[in-house]
Amino acid sequence: MHFSISKEEILETVRMVQTENLDIRTITMGINIQDCRGSDGSSTGRKIYDKIVQCARDLVKTGNDIEKEYGIPIINKRISVTPVSMVVDGLSQDEVAVVGKYLEKAAVEVGINYLGGFSALVHKGFTRGDLAVINVIPEILASTERVCSSVNLGTTAAGINMEAVYLMGKIIKKTAELTADRDGLGCAKLVVFCNAVEDNPFMAGAFHGPGEPESTINIGLSGPGVILNAVKKYPDVDLGELANIIKNTTFKITRTGELVGRVASRRLGVPFGIVDLSLAPTPAVGDSVADILEAMGLEKAGTHGSTAALAMLNDAVKKGGAMASSYVGGLSGAFIPVSEDAGMIDAVADGAMSIDKLEAMTCVCSVGLDMIAVPGDTPDETISAIIADEAAIGMINKKTTAVRIIPAPGKKEGDWVQFGGLLGRAPVMKVNSYSAANFIRRKGRIPAPVHSLNN
Amino acid sequence: MEEGKRLIITVLGYDKVGIIAAISTILAENNINILDISQTILQGFFTMVMVVDSAESKVDIAELRDLLDQKGREMELQITVQHEDIFKFMHRI
């Protein structure tokens, strides 16, 4: 039998895994739980628990087996479920909280580290189930370790639900206060979206959308370290050529995701959903999107030129990745979280990166203001206003945007928060001290934008 | 896509006597057939890529990796073992 791969190609792959942190960030199994409604909280919770355990019994083992056989690290095995608000409609808040506890129990039982879907889709308004879920988010995120929550409060087609924007400012603050002993860690498990996608494999914002099948396997890639090394090798090429180098490299990274997705899907007997082309950084040195921007020629990420560099990087990643996979979906873009990216942490600590610049950068990449710590005494309405700004960017530009913000209790600008592990650590950033309260308190909805007259 | 039984083993480190002998002994002991070897030495640095068939192997890939890791530590070599599909997928459509 002929083996057509050259030695150089083999060694390139080995180097990507051994020294450039190439890994599969997550295999996320989406599970429909719409058929799990019981007469009350605990019977609903039990049905959900049983279904998750039945569907995902072999998820962790399969992931570990694939990791061993192919020699490619698969960092996380995770589960997303149908937004819980769709299943619990009509139950009281206390009963919804019981359902949340069962999600944690199921996550522990199958051995995964995060389970997403304690969520509500409220872009046009609230159902009673939505409100029940949203109101118990702080309690659930404080009393569980693995349950993640998300709320979609705007879309390009529906506009922005400003009532939800107002409410989420309060919910985020309350979540931070209930987890004050852990620097507000609960907020790291809560994402507020505009134009949320139904097949996102990444936490904390993953949920199994209502348009999805019974169950799917979605793959999230990592790989900033590999792109960084490719960019570093060509310090003098022009940007057209650099875009090509990034495309070629992304193609290779994405192929590993495609392979792992296909194998996992076959072994688990669950259809392959999508590969998410996102460049997801980790706090490990060299596994940083900010470092890539700096290797492209910026002295520090966050300086002038950062938005342009990120726009090119993001687009090249999509072009290379889209060729490599049969189904691309999820968020698909470069992530620029602060606490999870060593280069971003440095940029903030050195004063090169502000919330305002981050907001501008989210116009050209996935996904939004992510893992940003702000002072604990930031007013609710200011948190809401930050959410409104991000949602407006998503709504107008027909893209997903999100806010995952941590008003760190008792902390001031310049202090640090520590979450540990993949969530990392972050300096507390300055927020604009002028009030947006009167704007936010108007509530109502921001109407959907026109889809013509583009400028 | 069929999952075959061919594995790729890479060995990197400073050149010394007996590297190939040590690796191929482990493979022979476990009934793993060598299909192809390519080896170079560049400025004292040893690089080897092996294609092997593990269809009749006595051990699974994880055990083989442990055995080779142990040998790698003894001889100060970095040894990797991966299923061939990862290379096919990455470099060919």
Side-chain angles (χ1 to χ4, degrees):
Chain A
M1 275 190 290
H2 183 61
F3 189 76
S4 62
I5 312 294
S6 75
K7 194 170 140 189
E8 286 67 33
E9 289 169 325
I10 288 172
L11 294 176
E12 182 186 13
T13 303
V14 169
R15 191 184 64 235
M16 284 182 184
V17 176
Q18 297 288 321
T19 65
E20 298 172 354
N21 299 317
L22 172 61
D23 56 50
I24 303 297
R25 175 56 55 79
T26 179
I27 298 183
T28 302
M29 179 185 262
I31 301 172
N32 167 44
I33 56 165
Q34 289 182 84
D35 54 352
C36 295
R37 175 56 191 263
S39 54
D40 60 9
S42 50
S43 71
T44 306
R46 257 198 312 276
K47 284 186 179 188
I48 294 173
Y49 172 88
D50 289 343
K51 179 149 190 194
I52 291 172
V53 172
Q54 185 214 331
C55 291
R57 203 184 306 118
D58 296 329
L59 175 64
V60 171
K61 182 183 179 300
T62 303
N64 291 343
D65 286 349
I66 295 172
E67 170 167 346
K68 276 184 214 142
E69 286 164 41
Y70 291 87
I72 179 126
I74 299 171
I75 308 299
N76 297 302
K77 296 86 188 171
R78 294 171 171 172
I79 291 172
S80 62
V81 296
T82 314
V84 166
S85 73
M86 297 171 62
V87 186
V88 300
D89 221 347
L91 298 181
S92 70
Q93 280 184 33
D94 291 345
E95 287 177 305
V96 172
V98 171
V99 173
K101 303 277 168 57
Y102 271 100
L103 290 178
E104 174 81 0
K105 225 176 119 186
V108 171
E109 176 63 26
V110 298
I112 55 164
N113 63 350
Y114 288 116
L115 184 151
F118 196 78
S119 304
L121 310 177
V122 299
H123 34 279
K124 204 77 174 284
F126 305 98
T127 62
R128 284 186 210 146
D130 293 333
L131 277 174
V133 165
I134 290 173
N135 283 323
V136 297
I137 283 175
E139 180 194 333
I140 289 296
L141 296 184
S143 64
T144 63
E145 264 178 54
R146 306 171 194 224
V147 177
C148 293
S149 225
S150 53
V151 174
N152 189 60
L153 46 66
T155 67
T156 300
I160 301 171
N161 177 356
M162 290 299 287
E163 194 104 24
V165 169
Y166 172 80
L167 181 57
M168 288 314 295
K170 294 187 180 307
I171 294 291
I172 288 171
K173 281 290 288 285
K174 194 171 168 202
T175 303
E177 280 154 21
L178 291 184
T179 50
D181 55 331
R182 287 160 278 168
D183 281 352
L185 176 68
C187 297
K189 300 180 285 180
L190 172 56
V191 185
V192 181
F193 278 114
C194 177
N195 291 325
V197 292
E198 301 196 351
D199 51 7
N200 165 24
F202 287 102
M203 294 297 165
F207 61 85
H208 187 70
E212 295 284 304
E214 199 49 36
S215 184
T216 56
I217 291 293
N218 297 322
I219 302 292
L221 294 166
S222 178
V226 181
I227 305 279
L228 173 64
N229 278 299
V231 172
K232 271 186 178 165
K233 257 185 252 160
Y234 300 92
D236 300 317
V237 300
D238 76 23
L239 291 173
E241 218 170 307
L242 189 62
N244 256 338
I245 291 159
I246 295 170
K247 275 178 354 195
N248 287 338
T249 312
T250 311
F251 177 87
K252 293 174 186 173
I253 298 173
T254 307
R255 290 295 286 172
T256 59
E258 175 82 5
L259 171 65
V260 168
R262 286 193 203 177
V263 175
S265 146
R266 196 183 51 244
R267 292 191 188 175
L268 289 162
V270 169
F272 182 25
I274 54 95
V275 175
D276 188 316
L277 298 180
S278 297
L279 275 186
T282 67
V285 172
D287 205 22
S288 155
V289 171
D291 287 358
I292 300 175
L293 302 180
E294 290 169 13
M296 287 170 79
L298 301 171
E299 186 181 358
K300 212 61 176 156
T303 188
H304 305 292
S306 297
T307 310
L310 182 60
M312 193 202 97
L313 170 66
N314 198 52
D315 183 64
V317 165
K318 284 184 204 172
K319 284 172 178 162
M323 278 287 291
S325 170
S326 33
Y327 301 101
V328 170
L331 298 169
S332 284
F335 290 165
I336 49 169
V338 174
S339 77
E340 298 169 333
D341 183 316
M344 293 292 280
I345 295 170
D346 284 350
V348 172
D350 294 347
M353 180 73 77
S354 64
I355 287 190
D356 300 337
K357 187 62 181 179
L358 278 169
E359 183 185 310
M361 289 164 74
T362 64
C363 299
V364 299
C365 79
S366 162
V367 83
L369 292 173
D370 196 13
M371 291 304 286
I372 288 169
V374 296
D377 61 359
T378 306
D380 300 1
E381 291 87 352
T382 300
I383 304 278
S384 294
I386 291 170
I387 294 170
D389 282 344
E390 256 329 288
I393 290 171
M395 173 182 75
I396 296 293
N397 295 302
K398 308 176 188 72
K399 73 187 288 294
T400 308
T401 48
V403 174
R404 184 160 53 142
I405 190 166
I406 301 106
K411 299 282 168 97
K412 311 182 298 294
E413 185 190 334
D415 290 348
W416 286 76
V417 294
Q418 303 279 352
F419 300 122
L422 277 177
L423 296 173
R425 65 194 194 106
V428 175
M429 297 178 80
K430 179 182 186 323
V431 295
N432 196 314
S433 59
Y434 291 98
S435 173
N438 289 341
F439 173 68
I440 294 300
R441 286 188 199 134
R442 285 174 182 266
K443 303 187 193 168
R445 279 193 281 144
I446 293 183
V450 288
H451 294 290
S452 183
L453 315 173
N454 286 326
N455 266 311
Chain B
M1 183 189 56
E2 282 300 307
E3 285 179 61
K5 290 285 183 186
R6 292 205 294 190
L7 311 176
I8 310 291
I9 299 173
T10 69
V11 182
L12 303 171
Y14 288 107
D15 191 24
K16 61 181 70 143
V17 173
I19 297 179
I20 295 182
I23 306 295
S24 43
T25 303
I26 292 177
L27 297 176
E29 282 169 0
N30 292 291
N31 206 32
I32 295 167
N33 189 27
I34 299 173
L35 302 172
D36 187 33
I37 299 185
S38 140
Q39 177 234 303
T40 44
I41 295 158
L42 200 64
Q43 293 167 342
F45 202 74
F46 177 91
T47 315
M48 177 169 76
V49 174
M50 263 182 182
V51 183
V52 303
D53 180 356
S54 67
E56 307 292 323
S57 172
K58 291 183 199 163
V59 292
D60 69 16
I61 184 166
E63 291 169 272
L64 177 64
R65 185 175 294 123
D66 287 344
L67 290 171
L68 290 172
D69 269 352
Q70 203 183 331
K71 184 57 72 182
R73 274 195 301 274
E74 278 169 33
M75 299 186 71
E76 295 181 329
L77 298 166
Q78 188 200 66
I79 305 177
T80 67
V81 190
Q82 289 173 281
H83 195 284
E84 69 162 346
D85 280 354
I86 199 101
F87 303 95
K88 280 188 179 168
F89 245 73
M90 187 179 271
H91 298 285
R92 299 288 181 271
I93 305 181

